[in-house]
Amino acid sequence: MRPQVVTVSALQISSPIPVNWREKDFALGLQVGLSAGSSLTYSVQFTNDDPENFTDPTDFNTNATWQDFPDLSGLTASDFAGYEFPVRAVRLNVTSYTSGSATLTALQAT
């Protein structure tokens, strides 16, 4: 998988980044970078719900069961974490916002 990138610059949730959960040796790196002077709080979330079970992408982002990655929850600074358990999609959730932007980059080994 090529690096997938989403940026959020408001109190909002990014669009989901689908992940290939079928990889034999699943490995996923998640990096969040904040712009200079950012004042925000974010979490990176995952779901194991199948996006094909939803009628449209908005429905998937709203109604799938999303959970925070424990190492990337409630943060106010740039961070990175790696995971070896399969998930179907990830997203960035900005939960408190004053200024700046947060960028999530997801990189999966294939």
Side-chain angles (χ1 to χ4, degrees), residues 54-94:
F54 295 85
T55 56
D56 63 55
T58 302
D59 189 37
F60 175 63
N61 206 18
T62 303
N63 295 318
T65 301
W66 293 94
Q67 297 178 343
D68 293 348
F69 281 103
D71 297 337
L72 294 173
S73 179
L75 300 177
T76 58
S78 299
D79 209 342
F80 172 86
Y83 296 95
E84 295 179 353
F85 60 89
V87 298
R88 288 194 185 248
V90 297
R91 69 182 186 179
L92 180 61
N93 182 7
V94 173

Side-chain angles (χ1 to χ4, degrees), residues 1-6 8 13-21 26-32 43-49 51 60-61 64-69 72 81-83 85-93 104-108:
M1 167 177 144
R2 292 185 175 166
Q4 302 292 312
V5 179
V6 291
V8 173
I13 298 171
S14 74
S15 56
I17 297 173
V19 177
N20 183 359
W21 59 275
F26 187 90
L28 179 64
L30 299 170
Q31 179 178 345
V32 178
S43 295
V44 178
Q45 300 179 313
F46 69 92
T47 186
N48 282 318
D49 288 349
F60 175 63
N61 206 18
T65 301
W66 293 94
Q67 297 178 343
D68 293 348
F69 281 103
L72 294 173
Y83 296 95
F85 60 89
V87 298
R88 288 194 185 248
V90 297
R91 69 182 186 179
L92 180 61
N93 182 7
L104 168 64
T105 302
L107 182 58
Q108 183 178 5

